Amino acid sequence: MKDSFLIGEVSKLFQLDIRTLRYYDKIHLFKPKYVDEHNGYRYYTIDQFEQLNTILYLKSLHVPLKDIKEFLENRDVDNILFLLEKQKIETEKRLYEISQVQRKIDKRIEQIKDATHQDVLYRIREHELPERVVVYLKQNIYMKNDFEMLIRVLENNANMKSAVFLGKVGFSIAADNLKKRMFNEYNSIFIIVDAESYRYSEARTLSKGIYLSIRFEGTHEDASPYYDQLIDYIEKNQYEIVDDAIEITLIDYGFTNDKSKFVTEIQIPITKSLTL
């Protein structure tokens, strides 16, 4: 039986790309036993196969190559135990991160399906909403403002990465302005976040309670007529506005280029008037 093998033969034996073997040689992780000085051919020997098996095994566990190299230079039972225990911790972290991503994906799928329900559009609804955690930027905002720039500022202030993935983006209108039917000025921009996976000292909550809401196809620029409908409904039914209105983007450019499919929802917290 032959005891030396060319790089192509080792590649086939281990089902490994030749470029990978060359890279391992380059970084001094797994070098050929010798190189023919005349033709430059790399030769590996059978006694090196165990080392390559070890590399591939540890690599399959996602151990970084630099850690594998360090272990091979200092092979010892204690060292392999330390390496595996360290990798176990890293794997547990990745599993947690993956579970968080999966949960966020499930929630986003649920949100998008809910936002596209045609039977809810243009209907005024009274319903109870749970407490929601938001990070927000408190400032006067007008329609002429660059909303995307404000979102970037909010993300940076709150050390966030992706508002599209983390939660719904919204604006608020002061309760006093609602009562005066002044709908062209917001007093904050916010992002609803996952309270379990996101911590931020300046986060606040949107209170649990009864909200009057309407959902429509369009963006913030199209919202005024729907505020009027809600205020009319509030006055007719003798309700009281108990806090700022919130206006949430459900479907926008983050999900589609078709403006006709944009969906926005207005929510106003209410209570029955005490003057009845």
Side-chain angles (χ1 to χ4, degrees):
M1 180 183 295
K2 63 186 295 186
D3 61 359
S4 62
F5 301 84
L6 289 166
I7 190 171
E9 294 173 312
V10 175
S11 170
K12 289 179 181 178
L13 284 170
F14 286 86
Q15 301 179 41
L16 197 59
D17 196 302
I18 289 177
R19 290 172 296 183
T20 299
L21 287 168
R22 287 176 177 154
Y23 179 67
Y24 289 173
D25 182 8
K26 180 180 178 181
I27 64 173
H28 304 285
L29 176 65
F30 183 67
K31 300 185 70 65
K33 198 72 166 185
Y34 62 93
V35 178
D36 190 309
E37 61 181 15
H38 299 294
N39 55 29
Y41 288 172
R42 294 172 170 86
Y43 288 93
Y44 299 84
T45 56
I46 289 177
D47 63 317
Q48 292 182 281
F49 287 3
E50 183 182 357
Q51 180 181 351
L52 184 54
N53 267 326
T54 300
I55 292 169
L56 298 179
Y57 167 69
L58 293 175
K59 190 170 180 291
S60 74
L61 301 180
H62 298 279
V63 177
L65 293 181
K66 64 179 182 61
D67 291 346
I68 297 175
K69 185 173 184 291
E70 185 177 333
F71 167 70
L72 292 176
E73 293 169 353
N74 301 276
R75 286 199 192 199
D76 182 85
V77 173
D78 289 340
N79 287 342
I80 190 64
L81 279 175
F82 174 80
L83 186 62
L84 293 175
E85 287 170 355
K86 175 183 175 184
Q87 197 59 20
K88 179 184 177 183
I89 293 171
E90 292 299 318
T91 301
E92 288 170 349
K93 287 180 182 178
R94 283 201 304 274
L95 287 172
Y96 174 76
E97 290 169 358
I98 290 170
S99 70
Q100 290 294 95
V101 169
Q102 184 177 36
R103 192 163 60 84
K104 289 176 181 178
I105 290 172
D106 288 341
K107 185 173 290 187
R108 182 58 77 187
I109 290 171
E110 180 183 340
Q111 290 171 353
I112 293 172
K113 286 182 177 180
D114 174 67
T116 54
H117 283 168
Q118 294 293 315
D119 58 335
V120 178
L121 287 171
Y122 306 107
R123 284 178 46 210
I124 293 178
R125 296 183 295 157
E126 296 181 32
H127 53 136
E128 184 174 2
L129 292 175
E131 181 180 88
R132 290 160 289 175
V133 177
V134 301
V135 293
Y136 71 104
L137 180 65
K138 190 78 172 176
Q139 71 175 64
N140 292 335
I141 303 166
Y142 300 91
M143 286 296 176
K144 64 182 179 181
N145 289 131
D146 187 337
F147 292 162
E148 284 301 320
M149 180 57 70
L150 289 169
I151 293 170
R152 301 290 84 74
V153 172
L154 175 55
E155 287 177 343
N156 289 329
N157 287 351
N159 195 28
M160 299 170 72
K161 290 185 178 179
S162 174
V164 171
F165 193 72
L166 273 173
K168 301 173 184 175
V169 177
F171 297 87
S172 64
I173 294 181
D176 287 343
N177 283 349
L178 288 175
K179 295 169 185 176
K180 298 173 185 175
R181 296 185 184 251
M182 295 171 57
F183 310 132
N184 64 339
E185 178 184 336
Y186 300 109
N187 63 352
S188 78
I189 179 174
F190 62 84
I191 298 173
I192 300 175
V193 298
D194 184 346
E196 294 180 16
S197 62
Y198 181 79
R199 298 290 182 269
Y200 179 57
S201 60
E202 295 187 29
R204 58 165 287 194
T205 58
L206 300 176
S207 300
K208 173 183 176 180
I210 303 300
Y211 285 75
L212 197 64
S213 71
I214 189 167
R215 187 177 295 181
F216 60 91
E217 290 177 323
T219 64
H220 304 291
E221 290 82 359
D222 309 305
S224 289
Y226 303 103
Y227 277 106
D228 274 322
Q229 288 183 36
L230 291 174
I231 300 303
D232 288 343
Y233 187 96
I234 288 169
E235 292 175 352
K236 178 182 176 181
N237 291 278
Q238 296 182 294
Y239 289 147
E240 289 285 344
I241 298 170
V242 298
D243 205 345
D244 298 349
I246 60 175
E247 188 179 314
I248 300 173
T249 302
L250 302 179
I251 302 288
D252 63 4
Y253 278 118
F255 302 111
T256 179
N257 288 323
D258 186 350
K259 286 188 175 182
S260 69
K261 294 181 179 179
F262 287 5
V263 178
T264 301
E265 182 169 283
I266 301 168
Q267 301 171 355
I268 301 177
I270 57 167
T271 188
K272 199 69 175 176
S273 175
L274 299 177
T275 60
L276 293 178

